[in-house]
Amino acid sequence: HNTFSLTKPMYLRTEAHFDYAKRDGSFHSAFDEWSDSLTVSQRSIGMSEGKAWAAYLEASGSFNINKQKQQHLTFSAKVEHDNDESRQAHRYTQTTQALRSAVQPLSQTQHNTRDFFHRSTWAAGNIGYNLHILKDINLLFTDFFDIRRERTHDYLYHPDSLLLPSQIEALTAITDPGNSYESHRNDWTNNLNIRLMKTAAVMRTDFHMKVGYERWCLYISTPIHHDELHYQRGALDTLARQTMFLPNMSFNYKNYWKGARRHLNLSLIYDEGWPLLLDRITFRDDSQPLIVKLGNPDLKGKAYTKFEAEYFDDAGRNHGMCYLSASFNYHHRDVAQSLTYNPTNGVYTYKPMNVSGAWGALTNFSIDRNIGEKRYWSWHANAHALWDHAKDHAMLTGETESHVNTVNTLGLKSGAHIKYNKNAFNIRAAGQLYWRHSTGRMQDFETLNAFDYEYGLEARYTLPRLKTSLAADATMYSRRGYGSSNLNTDDFIVNASVSQPLLKGKLIARLEAFDLLHQLSNTDYAVNAQGRTVTWYRSLPHYVMLHMVYHWSKNPKRK
């Protein structure tokens, strides 16, 4: 990696970077599918190897055209190239359980060996021109252009054992043509951005200086995107193209007053993107035994409109601060995965589809205050409200095809803490409550009313002469209202630590004990438009750890 900067007679900065990586690994996975009983089991084992390298060169700069009129020209350019080669081998052992106990389960083994290669070259640049119209109004034109060329091949073979391509002599005879493909993609984008803004300045009473900011800004983006893809997969040999013009815009207003201690920020954004051309190709990928992927020629890109408002009040060092925000995000289009299921063999088929009409609203409030002139005591309170109207594809119990489903979630969250801090002693008491109410239109969706709440105490003290720091905290984490008793838990977490500086503070030894009572649960719960998601994390729930930190610094000699 190398960076070079120049400030006179113009500003110029260049950066060069090169990476090389070599990889090898192994992996295992287990999958079980249940209805009233176990229907399909799949066990897989695999290994991989590969290498990759990448390099890029970037240059950017600016120079004045007319100093008196405050006109200047900016530019940047970047070239990037990367190569990635990898080889993978999988063994899938799939067992389909019999519908009747008299029939033995059907077991089959499939070997997949994949040879993957990807190479891309990307170049981009932009040039900008700033025009000073009036005393505090500027017009900025910036044109971005980029071009990309990509080549990818992904060949799939079916040997009779777990082998990498480098270990197989005759590859053609065992090639899977329907799941092997060659892809050549060329695309370019030209984006002319227009930015009209009004600047202002305010006197900061705490710093006794003027601070400049953008009072308002209108931003218009006019991207033209062209994609071209030559795609070969089995009997499919197609040349696809798409050219799209998708203008986007945003408007932002900001105002400071009371010596810049208070400010209001309002913004409105509309953004629309283009879909991946590969997702619009009519293809079928069944390289994995239980998963089939399809393309969708009618797929469109994502689009949303978002409004945000923020208010901030800094009452000063002795009085604290206050913050209030609200936002609303409407999704004109999202991309979801539709799903069909074959109960006879346990195969899932996925296809990207557009979903419209989701939205979300969010509000936040927080306040901080100090107590007394010496400010030993302080307190904090916050509140949070979320309304989420989520839409996604989901299957009802007993069905074999997904439909667009809606889940409405109202979430209310509130927390507070009070703290005492004087010299070497610090103590803090805190609590938090979160309530979620979710309703769904699916027939088998059970209304959720769940409470997550926590409360605890933490303290820290440093012995004056020894400089030994003692710290401990205890928190109760509780959950109520979930459908499973495994989630309605009370976890009392106690942590402690002791640290000692050595060698005049250069070496810090710290002994930490986490979750002394072995109560921590590694479970997270979320509700989305498909219903509910429960996630278990494999992590170290309790431990004792010794930290040794050495601080070293050397200052240059004064000339």
Side-chain angles (χ1 to χ4, degrees), residues 224-497:
I224 301 175
H225 178 76
H226 177 78
D227 250 338
E228 189 173 293
L229 177 65
H230 184 197
Y231 192 77
Q232 295 174 292
R233 187 188 192 106
L236 175 66
D237 188 349
T238 182
L239 179 62
R241 297 183 179 93
Q242 66 177 7
T243 302
M244 296 186 175
F245 174 63
L246 303 172
N248 300 314
M249 66 161 292
S250 66
F251 180 78
N252 186 76
Y253 172 81
K254 185 180 291 184
N255 189 27
Y256 286 85
W257 69 97
K258 290 289 185 181
R261 294 186 181 277
R262 296 179 182 175
H263 77 256
L264 175 68
N265 186 25
L266 305 174
S267 64
L268 179 65
I269 303 170
Y270 174 79
D271 190 89
E272 183 177 4
W274 46 80
L276 293 176
L277 187 55
L278 180 59
D279 287 341
R280 303 183 68 191
I281 300 294
T282 304
F283 71 92
R284 177 185 176 88
D285 183 339
D286 56 1
S287 57
Q288 300 184 52
L290 298 179
I291 297 177
V292 175
K293 299 177 183 179
L294 304 177
N296 182 3
D298 300 321
L299 190 67
K300 297 181 179 180
K302 297 180 180 180
Y304 70 89
T305 298
K306 186 175 184 179
F307 172 77
E308 293 181 306
E310 290 182 315
Y311 171 77
F312 181 79
D313 184 0
D314 185 357
R317 186 179 179 185
N318 296 325
H319 301 285
M321 60 185 64
C322 175
Y323 175 78
L324 177 65
S325 69
S327 66
F328 180 80
N329 193 352
Y330 183 80
H331 297 256
H332 305 279
R333 281 193 309 272
D334 280 322
V335 177
Q337 291 290 339
S338 67
L339 178 65
T340 58
Y341 171 64
N342 187 338
T344 59
N345 56 17
V347 174
Y348 289 91
T349 302
Y350 294 88
K351 182 179 181 180
M353 302 285 287
N354 286 119
V355 177
S356 303
W359 56 266
L362 177 67
T363 62
N364 279 294
F365 171 77
S366 66
I367 185 171
D368 293 87
R369 287 292 184 267
N370 296 313
I371 304 173
E373 295 182 358
K374 295 183 178 180
R375 301 186 300 275
Y376 291 147
W377 289 91
S378 63
W379 61 271
H380 165 86
N382 64 77
H384 161 104
L386 167 70
W387 296 267
D388 189 34
H389 182 77
K391 288 194 171 185
D392 203 346
H393 270 260
M395 282 195 304
L396 297 177
T397 300
E399 291 189 342
T400 59
E401 185 175 351
S402 65
H403 307 277
V404 176
N405 179 61
T406 302
V407 170
N408 295 307
T409 299
L410 171 62
L412 301 176
K413 187 176 183 180
S414 181
H417 73 249
I418 185 169
K419 181 171 62 175
Y420 177 80
N421 187 10
K422 182 181 179 182
N423 299 329
F425 179 68
N426 178 288
I427 187 169
R428 181 177 180 269
Q432 184 172 272
L433 172 66
Y434 183 33
W435 172 66
R436 280 174 292 182
H437 174 74
S438 296
T439 59
R441 295 183 180 178
M442 293 186 296
Q443 298 176 359
D444 58 350
F445 188 94
E446 297 180 5
T447 299
L448 174 70
N449 284 290
F451 291 88
D452 292 16
Y453 56 94
E454 61 185 73
Y455 50 91
L457 187 70
E458 61 182 60
R460 181 184 180 88
Y461 180 68
T462 301
L463 301 177
R465 293 183 178 275
L466 299 176
K467 303 298 182 181
T468 304
S469 295
L470 307 174
D473 63 87
T475 306
M476 175 67 81
Y477 297 91
S478 301
R479 294 185 290 199
R480 297 291 186 272
Y482 293 101
S484 172
S485 59
N486 293 330
L487 297 175
N488 296 317
T489 58
D490 294 302
D491 301 325
F492 185 58
I493 310 302
V494 179
N495 309 312
S497 68

Side-chain angles (χ1 to χ4, degrees), residues 535-550:
T535 305
W536 286 270
Y537 295 98
R538 293 190 64 186
S539 61
L540 201 60
H542 52 269
Y543 57 82
V544 175
M545 184 179 294
L546 176 64
H547 305 260
M548 300 295 291
V549 181
Y550 182 75

Side-chain angles (χ1 to χ4, degrees), residues 52-70:
W53 65 269
Y56 74 79
L57 177 65
E58 182 178 11
S60 60
S62 65
F63 54 89
N64 290 324
I65 298 177
N66 190 323
K67 293 184 178 180
Q68 294 180 350
K69 295 184 178 181
Q70 298 183 18

